[in-house]
Amino acid sequence: MEKVVMKFGGTSVADEGRIQQAASIIIEEVQRGKQVAVVVSAMGKTTDQLLALAEGMNGNAEDRELDMLLSTGEQVTASLLAMAIAGRGIEAKSFTGWQAGVITESLHGNARIEEVNAEKISQWLASGGVAVIAGFQGMDEQGELMTLGRGGSDTSAVAVAIAIQAGACDIYTDVEGVFTTDPRLIKDASKLSEISYDEMLELANLGAGVLHPRAIEVAKNHQLPLRVRPAHTEGQGTIIKEVFQMENVQVVRGIAFEDDIVRLTIIYDTPNNGSLANVFTTLAENHINVDIIVQTIMDEERPSVSFSIKNDDLAQTLEVLEKEKAKLAYKKSDFEVGLAKVSIVGSGMVSNPGVAGEMFDALSKAEIPVKMVSTSEIKISVVVPSVNMDEAVAVLHKQFALQLAV
Amino acid sequence: MEKVVMKFGGTSVADEGRIQQAASIIIEEVQRGKQVAVVVSAMGKTTDQLLALAEGMNGNAEDRELDMLLSTGEQVTASLLAMAIAGRGIEAKSFTGWQAGVITESLHGNARIEEVNAEKISQWLASGGVAVIAGFQGMDEQGELMTLGRGGSDTSAVAVAIAIQAGACDIYTDVEGVFTTDPRLIKDASKLSEISYDEMLELANLGAGVLHPRAIEVAKNHQLPLRVRPAHTEGQGTIIKEVFQMENVQVVRGIAFEDDIVRLTIIYDTPNNGSLANVFTTLAENHINVDIIVQTIMDEERPSVSFSIKNDDLAQTLEVLEKEKAKLAYKKSDFEVGLAKVSIVGSGMVSNPGVAGEMFDALSKAEIPVKMVSTSEIKISVVVPSVNMDEAVAVLHKQFALQLAV
């Protein structure tokens, strides 16, 4: 019998009405003859409310206690959804993460799933019942409750799907699927009917935000098809799976963008490769995420390196650089705010070397200055002034004919 | 090192302020050099709010799912209280019921504790930390979450205290302790400094309500001293322990009362002992609690039996009696509403046969009619008209000089 995992995020179970709606969607799948395991997030703002309570107790609460507190949120949703399903005559049981056999490493607040012992769930599914599993959580070998960190419920869903050997994992969201770019910005953005894991990974990492990169990685490793589906309409969403290239495949599949980027440049007055590594090690130790890195060796005796960070991290970055100046042995630093990143993504790029040229040409014709460039096999990112971000997205969406994408 | 269990009920952890107050009381005990395990209920109205959510999902939700839902309430309190304690520099960890090793029978919604495997808790206490345990819950052998039913957190606290071999179990409440009767009714009611398990059991069963009878029974079986203490003042509360009678002990220790009682009478027209048992078996099968039972054999050929029930159960009781009339083989039934029960309680009664006479005499002088009587070794209950209830309590409180009780 076909097995499927259905995942409902916080907005899709935000209140009684949404939970009943989720129950309807689940029952339809059951009535199609499938074995259904469901993974849920906490209701809407529950996690934020619990965090506010914690803040009132102790501004610096231990991660262990936050895990004890927050893991109740998904347990509440799971039991309520199981009740809603059972109320319509379909057998359903809720399971905490540990009851579902989700074993994690011991890292409070950000644990990775090590394995899923799915016997209990599989037995229940085989008996004809719906399993409703609290996402975002598991237990370590010592019996301590762990949460999985951002995007954890997506990862729970994928891990459960692999453990029960489901044919697919459907991620229900409040959008119609994965689009060529944000439809709020570009009116004729198209919904993609399918996209490869790698493309989705790049789009997810670039902030397209419907699915967590960790979940995509795990799904890719096990070749588990993912489907991003709307919880509020009959739309078929977007399937994420291994896509094999045809000759006439669309080269660029989507455009991601992100505002509030800062470029930092560090200039040395002597050649010093050791220091260069030191910069990024030091920033990493201070939990500052560096994105694009460009090393320019205009003058071999006076190398410089530029990198992009988020606006929010600027003050701390400058502080760290100043404090470590002696150790890092640089001459001076410089920064530029008011920047944004725009990226084109597509597996076809690897065999189409002209794409970068086409991108720069289009931006140049629109008189949009390019401050930094970064390329991978399936992605080209440019840093442009924030004021030009929207236009850059529009220009590129049109240039690569994404309004016609499927 | 001295070990103590401290239990905080829903009103004592109702909001941030109350939780911080509980943390202060706990820290004082730690600073007195004690090892402290804490057992908590859900915050204030949390359980009611969760039940309302469940009602919205499914008016007839399974007990298993209600247990999954409700057990989150105590987990939230436990983690918040642990954070509050840790925030003041004292090591504290929260534990769910199952993490604390509370193993129950498999009976959702009303499970009894079978054992407490307290190794984890004991280790943590020995290392100098405070253990904050979610009350009202445990896990069965199959890993299913169970709640303990009414008064469950009191029972959790007592069971944990026994398992860790604590010297005492302190139940923190919003009252000063156990009183000779309700101080809201009788202004000069006295707080008792100590009371025996049996006396407390009678008072608890009669609705004095500060402590659950199950908890008292378990404490009695293990001779664990219990203390009912105020969470909001420095008051020393009331100690519940085995009290050995001295010659001059006060005979009556407290007066309990309960309004909204109905007397039902069933009249047979033939001697029929089998039927009599049938009545109470049938009512029990329909979950109707019968309290006082009085069999009057005024006429041996036409026996009758009277019993008291709660007002709320009247409609269902009449329905059951009517439906089973043939089987129960009675001639007619009759009922009287607007009654109340007043009970005097005291271990000394067993050796003081004059107490009942003194009680009836006092009520008679006050012209309060007595409708039914029931006696045990340490309790005498009378059923009187509701309109006379307050006066009966006042008359008896004065008669037995309880304003002087200690």
Side-chain angles (χ1 to χ4, degrees), chain B residues 68-366:
Chain B
M68 289 289 284
L69 182 67
L70 297 182
S71 59
T72 62
E74 289 77 23
Q75 188 175 332
V76 167
T77 316
S79 54
L80 291 176
L81 180 53
M83 289 174 195
I85 298 168
R88 315 232 205 128
I90 304 285
E91 282 232 77
K93 255 192 201 179
S94 66
F95 297 83
T96 62
W98 60 268
Q99 286 180 326
V102 179
I103 304 295
T104 71
E105 64 180 334
S106 300
L107 182 61
H108 284 293
N110 200 22
R112 279 171 184 270
I113 295 175
E114 286 183 344
E115 56 175 330
V116 179
N117 300 321
E119 272 170 57
K120 210 169 181 176
I121 299 295
S122 292
Q123 276 174 20
W124 176 243
L125 295 179
S127 78
V130 173
V132 187
I133 301 163
F136 186 66
Q137 61 180 253
M139 183 175 81
D140 73 0
E141 300 285 354
Q142 283 72 48
E144 292 282 292
L145 297 184
M146 299 286 155
T147 64
L148 307 183
R150 273 181 64 88
S153 290
D154 289 345
T155 313
S156 297
V158 168
V160 167
I162 292 162
I164 65 170
Q165 302 183 288
C169 179
D170 290 355
I171 310 286
Y172 286 84
T173 72
D174 51 358
V175 296
E176 286 290 327
V178 179
F179 281 75
T180 51
T181 194
D182 190 338
R184 286 170 298 188
L185 178 63
I186 303 294
K187 287 278 169 293
D188 58 2
S190 318
K191 185 184 73 68
L192 297 164
S193 59
E194 60 179 54
I195 186 169
S196 73
Y197 295 113
D198 287 342
E199 287 168 337
M200 190 66 214
L201 264 174
E202 291 290 3
L203 289 172
N205 274 316
L206 293 169
V210 290
L211 197 49
H212 197 267
R214 279 167 69 183
I216 304 167
E217 274 180 45
V218 179
K220 183 189 174 194
N221 289 341
H222 292 79
Q223 295 288 308
L224 170 76
L226 293 175
R227 191 153 52 158
V228 174
R229 304 187 66 173
H232 54 292
T233 71
E234 296 285 315
Q236 287 303 300
T238 300
I239 296 173
I240 300 145
K241 60 177 187 181
E242 213 60 274
V243 178
F244 297 97
Q245 301 295 328
M246 293 294 143
E247 281 302 318
N248 60 350
V249 78
Q250 217 152 358
V251 175
V252 176
R253 297 287 286 159
I255 299 175
F257 53 91
E258 191 181 348
D259 204 351
D260 297 322
I261 301 288
V262 179
R263 176 190 57 77
L264 258 143
T265 300
I266 290 178
I267 300 153
Y268 298 90
D269 55 2
T270 52
N272 193 337
N273 285 322
S275 265
L276 194 57
N278 270 349
V279 171
F280 299 108
T281 312
T282 304
L283 292 175
E285 279 166 7
N286 285 278
H287 304 289
I288 295 164
N289 279 320
V290 169
D291 186 12
I292 297 178
I293 298 174
V294 183
Q295 194 177 1
T296 46
I297 317 187
M298 310 266 284
D299 174 350
E300 278 196 14
E301 293 302 306
R302 286 185 169 72
S304 74
V305 62
S306 294
F307 53 90
S308 68
I309 57 170
K310 301 203 176 192
N311 244 353
D312 292 345
D313 289 334
L314 178 59
Q316 202 202 340
T317 305
L318 292 177
E319 201 180 306
V320 168
L321 289 178
E322 189 56 37
K323 199 173 130 202
E324 305 289 349
K325 188 164 183 179
K327 186 179 119 199
L328 299 176
Y330 65 88
K331 188 177 176 199
K332 61 176 184 172
S333 67
D334 175 37
F335 66 89
E336 180 178 7
V337 296
L339 300 176
K341 184 170 66 162
V342 177
S343 309
I344 59 173
V345 173
S347 306
M349 283 185 202
V350 65
S351 52
N352 280 271
V355 175
E358 195 175 343
M359 181 186 194
F360 299 144
D361 194 43
L363 293 172
S364 162
K365 277 188 185 142

Side-chain angles (χ1 to χ4, degrees), chain A residues 199 245-254 344-356 358 377-380 400 402:
Chain A
E199 287 168 338
Q245 299 295 326
M246 294 294 143
E247 282 302 317
N248 60 350
V249 77
Q250 219 153 355
V251 174
V252 176
R253 298 285 287 159
I344 59 174
V345 173
S347 306
M349 284 183 200
V350 65
S351 53
N352 281 271
V355 175
E358 196 177 341
E377 294 198 335
I378 68 163
K379 179 193 73 171
I380 303 170
F400 294 106
L402 289 176

